[in-house]
Amino acid sequence: MDFGGRRILCLGDVMLDRFQYGRVERISPEAPVPVVRMGDSRAMLGGAGNVARNIASLGGEAVLVGVAGQDAAGRELAALIAGTPGLEDALIPSATRPTSAKTRIIAGHQHVVRLDEEVTAPIEAADAVAIRTRVAALLPGCHALVLSDYAKGVLGEEVVRHAIATARGLGLPVLVDPKRHDFGFYAGATVLTPNLKELRAASGRRTETEAEIAEAARALLGPAGAGAILVTRSEKGMLLVEADGGVHSVPAHAKEVFDVSGAGDTVIAVAALAVAAGQPLARAMRIANAAAGVVVGKLGTATLDMAELTAALEAEEAEVTDIAGKIAASAEGAIPVLDGWRRRGLTIGFTNGVFDILHRGHVTMLQACRAACDRLVVALNTDDSVRRLKGPTRPVNGLEDRLAVIAALQSVDLVLAFGEDTPLELITRLQPDVLFKGADYTEDQVVGADVVRARGGRVALIDLVPGRSTTRIIERSRAG
């Protein structure tokens, strides 16, 4: 996973987030309110600025377009942008509009009060024209567009329509964090990322269960003119509903929640990077979900780095690794496992063989296969099948032993057996995304290649370690 060189234009309401940290030791004698003894203070980029900051912190490049006032808060905002590597300042300075600022008073880990300094009326016509001009000039060098709507007046109808039309004309994905109840306002977006409350308000439907959420999202997809809706559900994770009918969900993975400020910014930032890097939406959701689980464990409008994201993904994907848990008794037993992986947006690879006496060639090939997919399924010939293919003296090791040895490999996620001479029937039933075979074959010789390619999958030929084979091991053993 590499987001380097992915350039995202972030357009929307930019604000200054101030955090004042202190502690509460008593109640005021003047009124029934806590007295906060102030300590540290911090200032961060907020709104669309926090989206851009998350992109930059993960190795991407962010271009920040919005409006800032020519005031003290605006100067503080400019300094924060200048001090953030990978973040380009493309803000429009407004002579008539103050910089939006939010000040949060926090005692311990609890928000005591928030002070908002802002104007939410639509921006001046001249500022809107300047934004459209800037977007038209900067989008051609980008890989995706994010619209971060905080309902502060920047994303008016003309600005939104122009930005989406320009991005789609360039073939760029458009991700929108909506605030309006009319999702049709963002028509043409690739994906909308409302939270559960926003989805409920836009649809007017019950959204208690996953089925109800999916139905509410489906009802909005047509009027919204969007390719998908990704619903963030706080402690319940995320649900993705695609226009083609696909529905995917992931549970939340935060171990401890300190502050949810800006978590939605992290979600859309990471999703945009993943989509810009070529990931399908379902997998982009999974990556964004892991990122959100990290930032809610931090105070303030936090970001994360690639090491934290990688560690979170590895923790999220930790599954049963004992040998028995990785052996499927049949294709019927394997299919539900594969379906679960698909719902999480994981790429499934498949390879097959006898794997009679495990050697370096086997291990190296399986490692290479696993590096090219998210989950690897290995199918082994049954003993009878091996005898038909290789003669009455094979296999040396029975099926039960061969299954256990292959299942013990870290590179293998699921093992099962097939009794036919070829795995064609099994491949047809499992429908893997990637079909692996040794490079001693050509693609037209690979059994099942047409089945995998027919559903949009691919065939990958893996280089073999020269001189390594079970047959040679047996021959040397007999000669000895």
Side-chain angles (χ1 to χ4, degrees):
M1 188 169 57
D2 183 8
F3 298 144
R6 298 298 93 185
R7 189 173 176 84
I8 314 295
L9 193 147
C10 302
L11 169 62
D13 300 296
V14 181
M15 60 196 72
L16 182 65
D17 277 352
R18 296 190 179 105
F19 293 84
Q20 300 282 349
Y21 299 102
R23 66 181 187 273
V24 173
E25 297 177 338
R26 62 193 177 97
I27 300 299
S28 171
E30 302 164 352
V33 296
V35 175
V36 181
R37 185 179 295 276
M38 300 310 301
D40 295 335
S41 64
R42 295 182 64 188
M44 307 175 187
L45 295 171
N50 189 43
V51 177
R53 192 165 69 104
N54 272 272
I55 290 168
S57 71
L58 287 168
E61 300 173 15
V63 182
L64 183 57
V65 182
V67 172
Q70 298 181 39
D71 50 21
R75 290 188 291 274
E76 193 172 358
L77 204 64
L80 288 170
I81 295 172
T84 305
L87 178 50
E88 179 180 334
D89 188 349
L91 296 179
I92 304 297
S94 175
T96 60
R97 190 181 187 90
T99 303
S100 294
K102 296 180 181 180
T103 302
R104 295 173 176 89
I105 309 298
I106 300 173
H109 295 151
Q110 300 297 317
H111 282 216
V112 176
V113 67
R114 192 180 84 183
L115 311 176
D116 288 4
E117 303 166 81
E118 61 187 17
V119 172
T120 59
I123 58 176
E124 298 289 338
D127 292 339
V129 170
I131 284 180
R132 294 199 300 272
T133 301
R134 194 151 290 186
V135 167
L138 294 171
L139 261 181
C142 297
H143 300 95
L145 168 66
V146 169
L147 299 183
S148 183
D149 193 350
Y150 272 78
K152 306 303 180 187
V154 170
L155 292 181
E157 184 176 0
E158 291 185 0
V159 169
V160 168
R161 288 187 177 180
H162 171 267
I164 293 177
T166 303
R168 300 316 297 264
L170 294 167
L172 304 181
V174 179
L175 294 88
V176 179
D177 187 357
K179 281 296 176 286
R180 297 175 184 263
H181 293 172
D182 176 16
F183 284 5
F185 185 80
Y186 312 101
T190 306
V191 59
L192 302 175
T193 64
N195 59 35
L196 193 57
K197 181 180 178 181
E198 291 162 345
L199 181 78
R200 186 182 302 118
S203 66
R205 294 173 175 240
R206 281 176 53 89
T207 54
E208 300 301 321
T209 67
E210 282 198 2
E212 290 173 346
I213 295 169
E215 285 303 314
R218 286 193 192 97
L220 290 169
L221 276 171
I229 293 179
L230 170 59
V231 186
T232 56
R233 307 170 60 205
S234 299
E235 74 281 359
K236 294 184 179 180
M238 300 182 188
L239 186 76
L240 175 69
V241 180
E242 297 178 288
D244 64 4
V247 177
H248 314 270
S249 66
V250 289
H253 286 279
K255 293 182 179 178
E256 192 167 10
V257 177
F258 285 116
D259 195 340
V260 297
S261 302
D265 299 331
T266 298
V267 168
I268 198 168
V270 176
L273 279 171
V275 171
Q279 300 289 352
L281 277 177
R283 189 173 184 193
M285 172 184 66
R286 182 173 59 86
I287 298 170
N289 184 62
V294 175
V295 298
V296 297
K298 302 181 179 184
L299 290 176
T301 47
T303 62
L304 75 164
D305 58 29
M306 186 57 77
E308 291 175 307
L309 178 56
T310 301
L313 281 168
E314 290 174 352
E316 178 184 328
E317 294 173 359
E319 296 178 305
V320 177
T321 56
D322 63 284
I323 292 175
K326 292 167 66 174
I327 299 175
S330 63
E332 288 74 16
I335 288 172
V337 178
L338 271 64
D339 287 345
W341 292 341
R342 289 191 181 95
R343 285 193 296 271
R344 294 170 56 190
L346 302 176
T347 302
I348 300 170
F350 176 97
T351 192
N352 66 278
V354 174
F355 297 101
D356 193 356
I357 299 176
L358 194 67
H359 54 73
R360 177 186 170 190
H362 291 143
V363 173
T364 301
M365 177 186 175
L366 293 174
Q367 288 174 334
C369 293
R370 184 58 168 78
C373 64
D374 295 317
R375 293 291 183 270
L376 179 62
V377 179
V378 180
L380 275 60
N381 295 77
T382 61
D383 293 348
D384 286 342
S385 173
V386 174
R387 280 189 281 271
R388 289 196 302 272
L389 295 172
K390 296 183 176 293
T393 62
R394 299 284 300 277
V396 174
N397 294 301
L399 177 62
E400 185 177 349
D401 291 342
R402 290 184 286 124
L403 287 170
V405 170
I406 297 300
L409 297 177
Q410 188 176 7
S411 56
V412 176
D413 299 287
L414 191 69
V415 188
L416 72 165
F418 64 99
E420 298 76 24
D421 290 346
T422 77
L424 179 60
E425 181 181 346
L426 188 58
I427 292 169
T428 303
R429 297 186 68 185
L430 299 185
Q431 294 290 307
D433 302 300
V434 190
L435 180 59
F436 297 105
K437 201 67 178 175
D440 52 339
Y441 286 77
T442 60
E443 281 201 26
D444 60 308
Q445 295 174 322
V446 178
V447 172
D450 54 340
V451 173
V452 173
R453 285 195 294 256
R455 62 181 299 271
R458 62 188 178 88
V459 176
L461 301 180
I462 305 298
D463 291 336
L464 303 178
V465 178
R468 290 350 187 248
S469 76
T470 299
T471 300
R472 293 190 64 176
I473 291 173
I474 293 172
E475 289 175 348
R476 288 199 301 272
S477 174
R478 287 173 176 167

